[in-house]
Amino acid sequence: QVQPVESGGGLVQPGGSLTLSCAASGSSDSIFAMGWYRQAPGKQRELVARIFIGGSTNYADSVKGRFTISRDNAKNTVYLQMNSLKPEDTAVYYCNTRYSSASIWGQGTQVTVSS
């Protein structure tokens, strides 16, 4: 399977916003779920948000009300709109694409929230 490709990371001030994009391969019908995970140095990788084929979503408690996951099925792309960013959101963000028989990770994109 081809790796999904993340984009949109960067440096932002606290309270600011960023939108991450993840472009996956394959047909939309073959993708069971797509999700965003993040990992800070010395920390475990954690789920940030996930969207399933039926449209249901999961969010980490720490981002509820601030982050929104969405998808464009025609483009096989998932987005993560991040608002009201906090320093503790600083991490490498990884896109995961879940197919029926495989789960594929992107290489990650750095998000840094700092004054």
Side-chain angles (χ1 to χ4, degrees):
Q1 298 284 343
V2 178
Q3 280 187 307
V5 179
E6 304 100 332
S7 62
L11 175 65
V12 65
Q13 293 182 326
S17 298
L18 283 174
T19 300
L20 306 182
S21 300
C22 173
S25 61
S27 68
S28 296
D29 289 345
S30 72
I31 299 174
F32 176 71
M34 296 183 71
W36 288 98
Y37 298 73
R38 67 187 182 187
Q39 187 168 23
K43 303 293 185 180
Q44 296 271 27
R45 187 173 297 185
E46 65 174 351
L47 173 69
V48 177
R50 182 167 54 188
I51 186 165
F52 295 90
I53 189 170
S56 62
T57 57
N58 298 134
Y59 293 93
D61 288 342
S62 60
V63 308
K64 286 180 180 177
R66 300 189 297 120
F67 291 10
T68 303
I69 189 168
S70 62
R71 66 187 179 192
D72 183 336
N73 289 335
K75 298 179 180 179
N76 279 354
T77 299
V78 66
Y79 305 93
L80 185 68
Q81 175 65 50
M82 304 185 293
N83 298 322
S84 301
L85 283 161
K86 304 174 181 179
E88 51 263 45
D89 295 317
T90 296
V92 177
Y93 284 69
Y94 297 90
C95 179
N96 179 267
T97 305
R98 172 76 151 83
Y99 300 90
S100 61
S101 60
S103 183
I104 306 298
W105 292 95
Q107 291 187 305
T109 185
Q110 177 72 47
V111 173
T112 302
V113 184
S114 176
S115 299

